[in-house]
Amino acid sequence: MTKTILTVDDSRTMRDMLMLALSDAGYRVVQAEDGMHGLEVLAGEKPDVIVTDINMPRLDGFGFIEGVRGDDRHRAVPILVLTTESDAEKKERARRAGATGWIVKPFDPIKLVAAVRRVAS
Amino acid sequence: MDAMAAIKQTFFQECEEQLAELESGLTAILEGDGDAETVNAVFRAVHSIKGGAGAFSLDDLVRFAHIFETALDHLRAGRLAPSPDLLKVMLRASDALADLVRATRDETNLEPQRFAALAAELRAFDPASMQQTGAAAIVKETDGAADCADDEIVFRPILMDESMFDEMDAPPAAAPRLFRIRFRPKPALYAKANEAALLLREVSNLGECSIVCDSSELPFLPDLDPEGACLTFLITLSTECDESSVREIFEFVEWDCDLDIAEETDEPAGDGVDISALVERLQASVEAERAALEEANARSAAGATPPSARQNFSPAQVEGSDTGDGVGSIGKSDPAKSDPVKIDPGKSDLAAKGDQPGPSIRVDLERVDRLINLVGELVINQAMLAQRVLEEGLARASGVATGLDELEQLTREIQDSVMAIRAQPVKSVFQRMPRLVREVAAMTGKAVRLVTDGENTEVDKTVIERIADPLTHMIRNAIDHGLETPDVRVRAGKAEEGVVHLSALHRSGRIVIEVSDDGAGIDRPRVKAIAADKGLIAPDAALSDDEIDNLIFLPGFSTAAAISDISGRGVGMDVVRRSIQALGGRISIQSRPGRGSTFTMSLPLTLAVLDGMVVTVGGQTLVVPLTAIVETLQPKVADVHEFGGGARVIAIRDQFTPLIDVGRELGYRADNADPLAGVALLVETEGGARNAMLVDAILGQRQVVIKSLEANYQHVPGIAAATILGDGRVALILDVDAIVASSRADSDAHLLAAAG
C-alpha cells in the first residue's frame, strides 16, 4: 500500500525537493506551507509520516507538532523535523514538543528516504 | 536532472520573494514598525535562501547568507539592538544578497571584496566581537563561535545527521565487542511515535544480537493503561561498533526511556543465537502488546483479548510513574516554553491576508492568454447575437431579448474575472523602489524616505512590467531634481529628510499611480528660460504656470545643467511620457514652488481591451483610442486654412494645428474631404504634439477587444490593431502616432511648443 507523507515547509524550493525525493521513492506526498496549513491538511489526510520544517510563519514547527500530538487521530504518526538548525537546544525543543526524530538540511535524498523508512515501520 | 533544474529555478524565484520580504521587513524595523514576527520573518527569509542555496551547493551564497543570518539571529534573540546603523548595514547587505542571488542565477561573477567588506561590517556588530576584540578571543563558548562551527559542519551539501545513519557508514572497529543493553521505554517514547521494535531492529543491524523481552510488569487487562509502557528489553549485542554508535540509535529516545549500556570485557556469550528468530519473537510480543493496548482502549470485554497477548500477562504491579505520564499531557505540555515569536491566531489571520494571498496555483501565461482571447471572442459573439436579435425586430420584452441581456451580463462578468487572472498587485514594482531610493540618495547625498501606499492595487501583468522603467525614472528625478540637499531644506524650514511618496489606487476603471516629493517644486523661470534657449518656445511666449510645468515633457528638454549620473541618461520626462502613452496612459504634473511636485500617471487596467471612439471614414469603420483624443469639434470655414501641397491647418482657440484627413492618409480617397462635412478629433500624440484628425462621422464610444493585426495578418502602417464589432465586422484601430508622423510636414517647433 502506498504510504503517504505530509511535508510541511514554507519554502517552495524545499517542498519541491522533498516531493521529488519522496515521490521518486514511491511515496504519496501531500504538502503544506506552514504549521497552520499543515493542521488544516491533516483534517482530511492521514499521513504515515510527517516531515516538517521548524521556522515557519503563522505556526512554527514546534506548535505544529504539539498540535498533531494533541489530535487523537494523528498523535501516533512519526514526525521528522527537518531543519538547518542543528543545535542541541532546537532538537531538545522539537523532542519535547513530540518530534520522533530530526534530519539536518541540506539533506541527501537517499538518506532522507532512509530516515522516513526507518520511522514508517 | 531536469526536475532538479526546475527546482533550482523555483529556488531563484522564491529567493526574489524572500528578498522582497527581507527588504520590506528591514525597512519596517528601521522605521519602528517592526515587531517580533517582522524580525522573525526577516530572519526566515535569509534562512530560507541559505537553506536552498545549501541544497544546490551554492557555496558563496551560503557563506554570505550565513553571516547575514547570524547577525539577524542576534537581532532576533535580542543580543543586538535594532539601531539605525545596524539596520542600514543590513539593508545594504540585503541589496548585496540580492545581487549575489542574481549573479548566482545568471552565473556571472561579482567582485568578492564587496561581500567581504559587508560581511566584516556585519560581523563587527556581533556581540561577541564587540566585547572581546581580536578574532582569537572568540572561542567556543560564545554564540559567534558556535555559529562559526555551524558554518563548517552544517552547510555541506550532504546530510550531516549522524544520529540516524551512522551505522550505515560506521567505521569498522578492530575486534567485536559485547554490550549488554537494558532498554525500558517510557510512555513518552511511544507518544512521540517512536517505535521500540524499529530501534531494536536498528540495534540488530549493528551486529549479532539477542533480545529478550521482559513482560513481567504487564498488569492484568482491566488495570492496563493503554498508553503506558510495560515492557523492558534486554539486549546482548556483539558488534564491531563502539558504544557511541549504539547510543546514537537511541538518540531520539534517550530522555524517554531507561537505557543502560554496559560493555563486557570477556568473550561474547551469545553463541549461535538465531537473530532473525529473536527479532521475530520480539516483534510478535510487541504486536501482542499493541493489540492488548488497542483492545483496552476500545474498552472491549476481556474475553476478546487475543490469546497471544494473554499469554504474556503475569501478575505484577503497575508502576505509578508509567501511568501518570500519558500522551494527552504531552500533547499539551510546555505551553510556557513554546516559541516566543509564535503569534496569536487573530494576528496570524491578518498576516495571512496581508502577506500571503492564500492558496494559489501557477499557470502558464499562455493558457491565461488563450482564455482571455476566447472570452474576447465570446464578447464579440454575444454582441453579434444581440445585433441579430435586434435586426429580427424582436420585442425588448421577449424571452430571447431578456435572455440575451442576462447573457450579456454574464459575459461581462466572465470577462472581468478572466482579466483579473492576469492582474497582479503593483507591489512587485513598488518593492524595487526602496533600493533605488537608497542608491540615489547615497549618490546625491540627500536624506530621503520613501513612503509607499496601495501596493496591493492590481493591474494587468503586462502593464506592471512596462511601468517599472518609467517609474524608476520618475523616482530618480524626484530625488535628483525634486528634493533639495539637507542643508537647503533646513534653511527652508523643512525636515532634513525629504519624503518621496509613491502610491497606487484604482479610479474609474483605471489605475492611478502618483509620485510626489516634498522638494522645491518646478523652478518655472528656469524651465521657461531653458525651453526658450532650446527653441522649444518663443522667448516671449506667454505661458500659464501649468503650461510651463508641462514643458518638461517636451522631447529634448532636460533641466539638469550637467548630465548627472542619476537622472541624466540622455532621456528625460518625454521618454517617460512616451512609454506611459504607449500603454494607453496619461501623465500629468502638479507643482507648487517650495512645496514639491506630484506626477500622476493614469493607466488602463489591461491591454486586452481598449476604450475607443468608433468613427467612419470613407465608408470604413475605424476605432480611435480614447486616450489619444483630447476633444472633438466641428470645423468652421473660417478656421480651416490651406497651404501648399494639400496641407491644411485648423485654428483651435487661436492656435494653428495641422489638420490630417484620415481618409486620404489611409488611401480611402485621393483628395481631401470637405472639412465642413466631417468632424475633427483633436488628438495628442505620444510626443505631446497636438493634431486634428478629420473623420466623416462619430458612431459612438465603446470598449473593444484588441486583436493583433500582426499575429493574424501583417503589419499595416497607420493601423495599431483590429477589433470585431457587434455586427461582426472587423474594424481597424488607428495608430494615431503613425498617422500623424506620416502626414507631418516639417513641423514648426514654435507651433508644437505652443500646443504642448
Side-chain angles (χ1 to χ4, degrees):
Chain A
M1 198 192 77
T2 311
K3 288 203 160 72
T4 299
I5 317 284
L6 168 66
T7 63
V8 188
D9 200 311
D10 58 322
S11 156
R12 210 158 59 230
T13 313
M14 278 302 154
R15 284 202 303 274
D16 283 2
M17 296 191 75
L18 289 168
M19 169 69 94
L20 183 66
L22 293 171
S23 57
D24 273 3
Y27 290 108
R28 174 176 167 265
V29 181
V30 284
Q31 301 182 324
E33 298 179 7
D34 55 46
M36 200 77 87
H37 188 202
L39 293 180
E40 285 161 25
V41 169
L42 281 178
E45 289 281 350
K46 191 132 181 30
D48 298 284
V49 177
I50 296 176
V51 179
T52 180
D53 191 22
I54 286 295
N55 197 338
M56 294 181 287
R58 299 211 295 166
L59 181 63
D60 66 12
F62 303 124
F64 170 69
I65 296 169
E66 282 172 10
V68 175
R69 292 283 179 246
D71 178 346
D72 278 352
R73 272 186 75 224
H74 298 293
R75 67 178 178 207
V77 63
I79 304 176
L80 293 174
V81 169
L82 181 65
T83 174
T84 55
E85 288 157 301
S86 61
D87 58 297
E89 191 248 343
K90 281 270 155 46
K91 282 184 188 171
E92 167 64 20
R93 274 186 67 192
R95 209 191 53 72
R96 271 205 318 262
T100 309
W102 47 84
I103 303 166
V104 178
K105 288 191 283 188
F107 57 85
D108 174 346
I110 296 163
K111 295 193 173 180
L112 166 79
V113 172
V116 169
R117 285 220 174 100
R118 244 150 252 251
V119 292
S121 38
Chain B
M1 235 36 227
D2 263 359
M4 278 312 271
I7 294 177
K8 202 166 176 179
Q9 217 163 3
T10 307
F11 165 65
F12 284 120
Q13 276 175 13
E14 199 171 18
C15 274
E16 291 298 328
E17 292 160 24
Q18 306 283 13
L19 287 165
E21 178 104 351
L22 169 64
E23 186 176 28
S24 60
L26 285 174
T27 310
I29 299 167
L30 179 63
E31 285 168 1
D33 297 340
D35 54 13
E37 178 50 25
T38 317
V39 179
N40 204 22
V42 161
F43 173 84
R44 201 160 46 227
V46 177
H47 182 71
S48 282
I49 292 174
K50 187 183 82 173
F56 294 105
S57 309
L58 305 170
D59 295 341
D60 289 346
L61 198 49
V62 170
R63 216 165 297 132
F64 187 72
H66 177 66
I67 293 162
F68 197 177
E69 184 195 31
T70 304
L72 285 168
D73 192 36
H74 291 317
L75 185 65
R76 186 171 67 151
R79 290 187 292 266
L80 275 179
S83 66
D85 282 347
L86 173 66
L87 285 160
K88 276 174 186 163
V89 171
M90 283 185 167
L91 275 165
R92 278 199 289 125
S94 84
D95 293 345
L97 186 64
D99 289 343
L100 193 54
V101 164
R102 281 158 209 155
T104 310
R105 179 189 61 202
D106 306 335
E107 291 175 354
T108 52
N109 286 321
L110 282 172
E111 72 282 24
Q113 305 93 305
R114 179 174 162 213
F115 299 99
L118 262 172
E121 277 190 72
L122 283 172
R123 280 206 164 117
F125 281 102
D126 198 296
S129 67
M130 281 168 96
Q131 286 162 18
Q132 316 162 310
T133 44
I138 311 166
V139 254
K140 297 277 176 210
E141 71 271 14
T142 69
D143 288 307
D147 282 322
C148 285
D150 260 10
D151 206 3
E152 284 145 27
I153 296 163
V154 180
F155 304 106
R156 270 193 267 144
I158 51 159
L159 179 68
M160 295 306 298
D161 187 3
E162 54 298 317
S163 61
M164 304 187 75
F165 310 111
D166 267 35
E167 89 283 353
M168 293 170 93
D169 9 71
R177 300 158 75 171
L178 186 73
F179 293 99
R180 293 202 185 279
I181 304 162
R182 184 177 163 275
F183 170 45
R184 185 174 182 286
K186 292 179 186 170
L189 182 144
Y190 296 108
K192 292 188 182 107
N194 270 300
E195 181 53 80
L198 292 170
L199 296 170
L200 293 171
R201 192 172 69 190
E202 286 202 34
V203 172
S204 70
N205 285 339
L206 287 183
E208 290 189 17
C209 86
S210 76
I211 302 168
V212 176
C213 176
D214 175 5
S215 57
S216 60
E217 287 174 35
L218 267 182
F220 282 123
L221 195 53
D223 302 325
L224 185 71
D225 173 8
E227 297 183 338
C230 313
L231 298 177
T232 304
F233 302 93
L234 302 167
I235 307 155
T236 313
L237 172 70
S238 168
T239 177
E240 293 183 342
C241 305
D242 57 6
E243 188 179 329
S244 65
S245 311
V246 181
R247 285 207 176 271
E248 271 160 16
I249 290 175
F250 295 97
E251 190 190 4
F252 288 166
V253 298
E254 60 180 293
W255 297 268
D256 302 325
C257 66
D258 292 329
L259 184 68
D260 300 315
I261 300 179
E263 186 175 357
E264 300 225 336
T265 40
D266 46 30
E267 271 299 289
D271 45 352
V273 181
D274 186 347
I275 293 157
S276 58
L278 270 171
V279 172
E280 242 164 63
R281 246 166 63 200
L282 169 79
Q283 192 86 38
S285 75
V286 170
E287 290 299 319
E289 187 194 29
R290 273 203 152 176
L293 293 180
E294 272 164 29
E295 207 72 29
N297 204 12
R299 302 207 179 283
S300 54
T305 313
S308 63
R310 209 184 296 150
Q311 280 166 13
N312 285 330
F313 289 161
S314 62
Q317 293 291 316
V318 179
E319 275 181 35
S321 65
D322 275 356
T323 47
D325 199 14
V327 176
S329 64
I330 285 169
K332 290 173 235 130
S333 69
D334 299 333
K337 290 173 194 162
S338 57
D339 198 336
V341 290
K342 201 163 80 184
I343 46 178
D344 60 89
K347 178 144 189 230
S348 74
D349 270 354
L350 254 182
K353 270 176 208 150
D355 304 330
Q356 299 167 317
S360 62
I361 54 162
R362 299 184 156 248
V363 183
D364 253 9
L365 202 54
E366 210 175 297
R367 289 194 198 181
V368 175
D369 285 345
R370 200 164 69 218
L371 184 61
I372 288 179
N373 258 325
L374 283 173
V375 172
E377 301 285 348
L378 181 65
V379 170
I380 290 160
N381 233 291
Q382 181 270 326
M384 280 164 64
L385 196 58
Q387 184 108 6
R388 295 264 163 77
V389 168
L390 201 69
E391 282 163 7
E392 291 296 315
L394 287 173
R396 288 291 307 157
S398 69
V400 175
T402 49
L404 256 176
D405 280 348
E406 277 161 27
L407 178 64
E408 184 180 349
Q409 205 128 43
L410 261 177
T411 318
R412 283 263 159 77
E413 258 174 62
I414 292 175
Q415 192 178 18
D416 286 349
S417 313
V418 169
M419 295 297 182
I421 297 179
R422 270 190 67 100
Q424 287 189 329
V426 290
K427 200 170 174 181
S428 58
V429 175
F430 277 23
Q431 272 171 342
R432 297 187 215 165
M433 299 306 154
R435 174 173 188 179
L436 174 80
V437 168
R438 281 198 295 281
E439 285 174 354
V440 178
M443 269 190 246
T444 53
K446 292 173 184 176
V448 189
R449 189 157 56 90
L450 178 72
V451 181
T452 55
D453 221 2
E455 292 189 321
N456 291 322
T457 313
E458 291 192 333
V459 67
D460 190 277
K461 186 174 159 50
T462 318
V463 176
I464 289 193
E465 281 160 7
R466 288 165 66 181
I467 55 170
D469 280 349
L471 209 54
T472 305
H473 199 81
M474 283 161 72
I475 292 208
R476 276 203 189 111
N477 264 334
I479 300 170
D480 196 21
H481 301 314
L483 293 180
E484 316 90 325
T485 50
D487 50 313
V488 174
R489 287 182 66 90
V490 169
R491 258 181 276 137
K494 294 189 197 177
E496 204 174 304
E497 192 178 53
V499 177
V500 173
H501 201 274
L502 176 61
S503 71
L505 61 109
H506 280 156
R507 194 185 288 155
S508 51
R510 292 173 77 81
I511 183 170
V512 177
I513 298 177
E514 277 191 2
V515 176
S516 60
D517 61 71
D518 67 345
I522 300 264
D523 183 353
R524 292 190 179 118
R526 194 157 150 257
V527 165
K528 202 176 162 191
I530 290 169
D533 224 35
K534 301 201 167 170
L536 300 172
I537 52 167
D540 55 350
L543 299 176
S544 69
D545 286 352
D546 231 27
E547 282 168 327
I548 296 175
D549 291 348
N550 276 294
L551 289 175
I552 62 165
F553 290 117
L554 288 182
F557 183 93
S558 174
T559 47
I563 287 178
S564 72
D565 211 16
I566 299 124
S567 322
R569 297 213 170 145
V571 292
M573 288 306 289
D574 62 312
V575 176
V576 170
R577 166 131 116 179
R578 213 171 304 146
S579 28
I580 301 290
Q581 283 176 332
L583 286 171
R586 295 183 158 275
I587 182 167
S588 64
I589 176 177
Q590 297 90 42
S591 182
R592 284 190 296 170
R595 305 283 291 276
S597 312
T598 302
F599 288 88
T600 309
M601 289 189 268
S602 138
L603 292 155
L605 292 179
T606 167
L607 300 180
V609 293
L610 170 118
D611 282 314
M613 189 171 274
V614 185
V615 301
T616 55
V617 177
Q620 302 284 327
T621 311
L622 298 173
V623 178
V624 185
L626 214 53
T627 49
I629 300 175
V630 182
E631 62 177 291
T632 62
L633 47 111
Q634 199 80 50
K636 295 192 195 78
V637 168
D639 293 339
V640 179
H641 305 275
E642 206 154 332
F643 53 100
R648 291 183 293 188
V649 292
I650 181 168
I652 300 172
R653 285 187 287 282
D654 298 332
Q655 286 176 3
F656 288 114
T657 307
L659 181 66
I660 302 162
D661 183 347
V662 176
R664 195 177 160 217
E665 209 56 56
L666 291 177
Y668 293 155
R669 52 188 164 229
D671 299 314
N672 277 334
D674 175 9
L676 304 184
V679 183
L681 311 176
L682 184 61
V683 295
E684 193 174 69
T685 60
E686 288 172 7
R690 291 191 175 188
N691 290 267
M693 298 201 346
L694 188 65
V695 300
D696 295 353
I698 293 173
L699 293 184
Q701 261 179 38
R702 70 166 62 206
Q703 204 172 54
V704 296
V705 180
I706 299 173
K707 300 262 162 204
S708 165
L709 208 56
E710 278 95 335
N712 298 310
Y713 175 58
Q714 65 180 62
H715 177 72
V716 179
I719 304 298
T723 187
I724 301 171
L725 297 176
D727 57 6
R729 281 191 301 155
V730 172
L732 300 176
I733 301 171
L734 281 190
D735 182 344
V736 170
D737 269 41
I739 300 241
V740 169
S742 79
S743 83
R744 185 154 53 199
D746 3 21
S747 55
D748 182 340
H750 292 254
L751 197 59
L752 248 183

